[in-house]
Amino acid sequence: DVVNIGVTVKLLDVETNDIMEYTIVGSTEADPVQNRISNKSPVGMALLGKPLGTTVDARVPDGIIKFKILEIRK
């Protein structure tokens, strides 16, 4: 499986060891409060097309965050 629009991903923040879950959605459905992030957001773009177990770098306003993809589910 790879990350696409409509999937929920469980991520590990490599630096802080925090685990989070996001659902990747289109830009009109994005709602960060409900952990629904746009495929056009920095994190969404970094994750799209990546397979399970991959570590990705996401450029955010505060710098670069490294995430490891722990789970992908529909």
Side-chain angles (χ1 to χ4, degrees), residues 9-62:
V9 292
K10 184 183 283 187
L11 304 171
L12 170 69
D13 183 321
V14 175
E15 290 183 19
T16 65
N17 284 326
D18 289 336
I19 293 178
M20 59 214 63
E21 283 193 2
Y22 294 115
T23 300
I24 310 299
V25 297
S27 57
T28 60
E29 300 171 348
D31 184 353
V33 174
Q34 294 184 354
N35 293 335
R36 296 169 60 88
I37 60 169
S38 167
N39 61 316
K40 303 286 186 189
S41 70
V43 174
M45 288 190 300
L47 293 170
L48 280 179
K50 302 297 189 300
L52 185 67
T54 302
T55 299
V56 299
D57 294 336
R59 284 193 184 276
V60 296
D62 292 339

